Amino acid sequence: MSHILDNPIYHALISGHSAFAKGKGNAKYYSTAVALFAGLKNNDDQDFETLYRHSPEESKFIVFSPIQLQIPAKWKLMNHIDMLQLVYEGKDIPKGEEKDYKDLSDHHVDEMIELVKLTQPGPFLARTIDFGNYTGVFKDEKLVAMAGHRFNPVPYTEISAVCTHPEHLGNGHAYHLLREQIKRILGKSEIPFLHVRNDNVGAIKLYEKIGFKIRKSMIAYVIQKA
């Protein structure tokens, strides 16, 4: 894997997110309250064996790969998701209004989990908020849209959990939240990137409109100890 973003989870866990890292050697995974993701240096049988031996019983993980993997028999393949990886190639903040977004905190976690369950942008656990920079839009004191950061394989930072309540679609919330996240990432001299299901046509169009370019197809494997 010649590029950091070909293996973003592993490179995040040995760089920007090393404080969250569990596991050993070439097999790393996030603290289970924070995220379900595991990163394997080579995605080979030896790495899967190391992950098996150094993770709790009944562990469930999500592993990313740019190529198809043969999942070893010790692991049960629960699902696989075809995705696209996009990278922001601009040097400037996208055009748009400056809005005063509310930074989300522990106080908002229950609402955040509820919104994620409704909109399904990806997994969000009790301590996922520790990734930081989650911002939200509120209407009548209810959280209706949000976005934040996830993997940090330096010098890249992923934008994640971009979601809007179905009753509040079409108001530009996603665009402006993305703009705010890009602004924050560029402000620390890093490069924004993100992942999206390859069949989510509406989201892909939005990401391209704001300045992201498709870099590569990726596959997310959901696995559990057999």
Side-chain angles (χ1 to χ4, degrees):
M1 298 182 185
S2 58
H3 194 286
I4 287 173
L5 292 185
D6 288 349
N7 198 351
I9 303 172
Y10 177 78
H11 285 286
L13 287 166
I14 63 170
S15 62
H17 280 170
S18 59
F20 295 114
K22 305 291 185 182
K24 187 173 182 179
N26 291 343
K28 307 288 187 182
Y29 60 92
Y30 281 94
S31 303
T32 52
V34 176
L36 296 176
F37 298 98
L40 308 178
K41 184 176 181 179
N42 302 303
N43 279 336
D44 58 17
D45 287 352
Q46 185 175 346
D47 288 354
F48 276 104
E49 176 63 24
T50 301
L51 181 65
Y52 191 92
R53 286 189 282 109
H54 296 281
S55 59
E57 292 184 11
E58 300 183 1
S59 289
K60 181 178 180 180
F61 295 113
I62 303 170
V63 175
F64 283 13
S65 173
I67 60 174
Q68 290 188 346
L69 299 178
Q70 287 294 117
I71 305 300
K74 283 187 174 181
W75 294 93
K76 181 180 180 181
L77 178 61
M78 309 291 290
N79 193 15
H80 77 275
I81 302 161
D82 294 318
M83 307 182 297
L84 295 174
Q85 182 185 83
L86 295 87
V87 178
Y88 187 74
E89 296 187 346
K91 302 298 182 185
D92 301 313
I93 302 166
K95 294 179 180 179
E97 301 175 48
E98 289 291 338
K99 294 182 177 287
D100 185 19
Y101 286 108
K102 187 178 184 68
D103 286 330
L104 303 178
S105 65
D106 289 357
H107 175 72
H108 302 106
V109 167
D110 288 345
E111 277 193 276
M112 296 168 78
I113 291 175
E114 182 180 344
L115 183 60
V116 165
K117 285 181 178 178
L118 179 65
T119 57
Q120 298 294 316
F124 192 95
L125 308 179
R127 297 310 316 166
T128 303
I129 194 170
D130 291 347
F131 286 144
N133 284 281
Y134 284 93
T135 55
V137 177
F138 288 80
K139 295 295 181 183
D140 300 322
E141 299 185 356
K142 181 176 178 63
L143 180 67
V144 299
M146 72 175 194
H149 292 180
R150 193 167 64 181
F151 308 140
N152 184 207
V154 177
Y156 296 89
T157 294
E158 185 194 28
I159 300 174
S160 183
V162 182
C163 55
T164 302
H165 192 288
E167 295 177 3
H168 295 268
L169 294 171
N171 294 314
H173 296 321
Y175 181 94
H176 291 291
L177 284 167
L178 281 164
R179 181 182 181 275
E180 175 67 18
Q181 296 300 326
I182 291 168
K183 176 182 175 182
R184 293 184 182 206
I185 294 168
L186 293 180
K188 59 178 186 173
S189 299
E190 293 196 341
I191 304 166
F193 78 110
L194 50 78
H195 294 93
V196 60
R197 290 181 65 113
N198 66 0
D199 59 358
N200 192 345
V201 177
I204 294 167
K205 287 182 177 179
L206 172 62
Y207 298 148
E208 291 181 322
K209 176 183 177 181
I210 204 169
F212 285 90
K213 303 294 183 184
I214 295 173
R215 178 184 173 270
K216 181 167 281 193
S217 295
M218 299 287 284
I219 308 168
Y221 292 92
V222 185
I223 60 173
Q224 188 168 24
K225 282 191 173 183

